[in-house]
Amino acid sequence: MSLAAFLSQRVVMPHGIEAAAVLVQDGRIFDVVSPDQLPGQISVKDFGEAAILPGLVDSHVHINEPGRTEWEGFRTATRAAAAGGYTLLVDMPLNCLPATTTVDALEAKRKAAIGQCHVDWITWGGVVSDNQEHIEGLASAGVPGFKCFLIHPGIDGFTMVNERELRAALPHVAKTGLPLLVHAELPEPVDAATRRLAQADWSKYAPYLESRPDEAELSAIQLMISLCREYHFRLHIVHLATSQALDMLRAAKSEGLPVSVETCPHYLHLSSEKIPDGQTLFKCAPPIRSQENCEKLWQGLREGVIDLVATDHSPCPPEMKRLGGRNFRTAWGGISSLSLALPVMWTEACGRGFTLADIARWMAEGPARLAGCESRKGRIAKDFDADFVVFEPEAEFIATEDRLFYRHRVSPYWGARLRGVVKATYLRGNCVFADGKFPGEPCGLEFRR
Ligand SMILES: [Zn+2]
């Protein structure tokens, strides 16, 4: 492939945002030069004032294929990702059948993905109650790390782990040197609160919020930090929802423990006070908490206690959201947001004085590092994959169904006015999304180190 140049007045790079030309050859970034150093005789795409950010990396997505493709799937999830500016998805090991807890299951997933993906992908392996002997094999077979649940994951077939089972798994995890991603809520506080709420009106959001108290997250995180100290494995807390854990996490980090933390766009944009009765589209676990809590999570990002933002895109068929039944107790918990996460984040971030460089750090570089892809993904820099998103930060739009692109186009963001429009997405130099369309055949591949 010959040399091509992508020009913008605002190229978002690790050291700052400046006018630059990104030179691309054979799917990689050959160099980044100032616009006046553009070599002659090459094809130039000039995006003007639209920003070029690194292709976003989502380290927390439930693709659900093979086995529950009616919930989502490689084709639809990666299409929504391309429309949202993502160029690499890291799949969660549950909800698919078989769950990704053995090498055989990993191979089944690889087979299912072939020829379907609009962006690159990779998958976490699962740590469940009885697969300790598969952990090192999964690492050798190429997973970038592992995911476990300390509470029932809402679906059978992917078992949660208790402390005894964790202690059996952790020496194997530590040996791989790969991170363990933890859904950090303990069941006891949730069970106790739920018992107290037996007679509550579950068409309201308040009982659901009360049934998943901060205490469930706090006790789980405390347990994981002490196990991290004991077993010396890389601990990653997924979808932190309670700001009350920030002090504990800050202290663990200053102690030098290898702990990283993520939160999600919905915890940073939505708040419990504004969730209408019966609107189960807002249900997720841990739950969306108060506006005050939301502000403190932003503070956690500002201080760097929270390292990254991932979507936890977790779709289901609309009937499982029980929209008609308006019941927060029985509805599936999970929020789909792949196509909107960047504008949702930018809407909130720009008003708080953050820049697109912060967005790139939280949504590209940070997740790429977690998933072990940081030498090729998540930055606009020489020798990296030519993955980028062309983004108009001043443009605004209303979130409507036709912008979602995942399989079941339901969303708690419907009707929201959002800031920033994804104009185009490039994967290894190929345009995979532009102005609402997906040109070319799916060319996404599994990321292999
Ligand atoms: Zn999840």
Side-chain angles (χ1 to χ4, degrees):
M1 205 194 283
S2 57
L3 197 62
F6 297 81
L7 188 64
S8 155
Q9 294 307 300
R10 293 188 275 191
V11 178
V12 181
M13 289 175 284
H15 61 271
I17 302 172
E18 54 193 54
V22 185
L23 306 182
V24 173
Q25 190 168 40
D26 298 327
R28 297 278 183 109
I29 297 174
F30 173 75
D31 206 353
V32 184
V33 299
S34 84
D36 54 16
Q37 292 171 323
L38 254 184
Q41 312 284 319
I42 69 168
S43 109
V44 179
K45 258 196 172 346
D46 187 349
F47 294 108
E49 289 296 321
I52 298 181
L53 284 88
L56 305 182
V57 176
D58 194 346
S59 52
H60 193 151
V61 185
H62 297 267
I63 295 177
N64 302 329
E65 187 169 0
R68 280 199 186 85
T69 311
E70 71 277 15
W71 290 25
E72 184 60 287
F74 278 105
R75 189 173 293 270
T76 47
T78 58
R79 184 179 67 186
Y86 285 95
T87 49
L88 175 70
L89 300 184
V90 196
D91 185 31
M92 281 296 169
L94 66 159
N95 301 354
C96 49
L97 292 168
T100 320
T101 52
T102 65
V103 173
D104 284 350
L106 173 62
E107 294 303 339
K109 185 170 285 287
R110 284 175 170 158
K111 214 181 250 172
I114 291 170
Q116 293 215 69
C117 298
H118 293 271
V119 302
D120 288 350
W121 69 279
I122 189 169
T123 184
W124 301 113
V127 165
V128 289
S129 58
D130 59 356
N131 79 327
Q132 294 87 1
E133 75 274 22
H134 293 285
I135 291 171
E136 288 165 56
L138 278 163
S140 314
V143 303
F146 301 92
K147 165 79 180 287
C148 73
F149 276 76
L150 304 189
I151 192 166
H152 188 276
I155 193 162
D156 294 326
F158 189 93
T159 47
M160 55 176 277
V161 285
N162 59 29
E163 185 176 341
R164 184 177 51 79
E165 291 152 352
L166 268 174
R167 287 180 180 277
L170 288 175
H172 299 284
V173 172
K175 216 183 246 179
T176 67
L178 299 175
L180 178 65
L181 286 67
V182 180
H183 180 120
E185 283 180 295
L186 285 187
E188 292 79 10
V190 173
D191 293 344
T194 307
R195 273 195 300 273
R196 284 196 300 274
L197 292 158
Q199 303 306 319
D201 176 3
W202 286 82
S203 71
K204 302 232 175 348
Y205 183 70
Y208 177 64
L209 176 58
E210 273 176 59
S211 76
R212 318 258 336 187
D214 299 84
E215 177 53 28
E217 286 189 75
L218 293 168
S219 52
I221 292 169
Q222 191 164 34
L223 169 67
M224 291 314 304
I225 289 173
S226 70
L227 290 170
C228 177
R229 195 179 288 122
E230 192 176 339
Y231 288 93
H232 310 287
F233 66 96
R234 286 170 62 196
L235 168 62
H236 178 75
I237 304 297
V238 295
H239 52 47
L240 179 75
T242 177
S243 61
Q244 293 177 24
L246 290 169
D247 287 344
M248 206 185 331
L249 290 162
R250 187 186 301 106
K253 287 181 160 198
S254 0
E255 189 188 328
L257 295 176
V259 177
S260 56
V261 184
E262 102 195 7
T263 191
C264 308
H266 39 274
Y267 302 126
L268 296 164
H269 179 68
L270 302 169
S271 60
S272 55
E273 291 90 337
K274 292 189 200 134
I275 297 181
D277 290 350
Q279 268 294 2
T280 52
L281 287 173
F282 291 81
K283 179 178 174 180
C284 59
I288 294 162
R289 302 188 187 281
S290 68
Q291 182 62 44
E292 187 192 349
N293 181 75
C294 169
E295 284 308 324
K296 288 181 179 159
L297 289 177
W298 276 104
Q299 192 56 35
L301 269 172
R302 193 182 295 276
E303 286 177 39
V305 182
I306 299 174
D307 301 87
L308 63 96
V309 175
T311 64
D312 193 9
H313 177 82
S314 184
C316 66
E319 41 298 0
M320 288 180 66
K321 273 291 188 188
R322 303 190 197 266
L323 297 174
R326 300 165 51 91
N327 189 328
F328 279 101
R329 184 161 198 173
T330 51
W332 172 257
I335 288 179
S336 304
S337 59
L338 268 172
S339 313
L340 296 178
L342 174 57
V344 165
M345 282 298 296
W346 182 236
T347 300
E348 295 293 332
C350 65
R352 290 179 172 82
F354 293 106
T355 70
L356 289 173
D358 297 307
I359 294 281
R361 206 173 65 250
W362 300 328
M363 301 179 80
E365 200 177 338
R369 187 175 309 114
L370 178 69
C373 309
E374 72 275 19
S375 61
R376 265 177 47 203
K377 300 286 190 186
R379 279 177 180 222
I380 292 179
K382 194 169 152 49
D383 295 331
F384 276 60
D385 282 3
D387 295 349
F388 32 80
V389 45
V390 180
F391 186 64
E392 292 181 329
E394 280 86 27
E396 293 192 338
F397 68 101
I398 303 286
T400 46
E401 207 179 321
D402 57 313
R403 290 181 177 262
L404 299 180
F405 299 108
Y406 41 82
R407 184 177 299 275
H408 303 290
R409 300 180 181 205
V410 294
S411 168
Y413 299 113
W414 271 340
R417 172 173 286 278
L418 298 174
R419 197 176 162 106
V421 170
V422 174
K423 288 295 291 175
T425 305
Y426 286 80
L427 175 69
R428 283 177 273 107
N430 302 303
C431 182
V432 293
F433 172 79
D435 297 315
K437 302 220 157 46
F438 304 88
E441 289 299 304
C443 61
L445 298 171
E446 183 185 4
F447 180 90
R448 302 297 279 264
R449 278 170 291 179

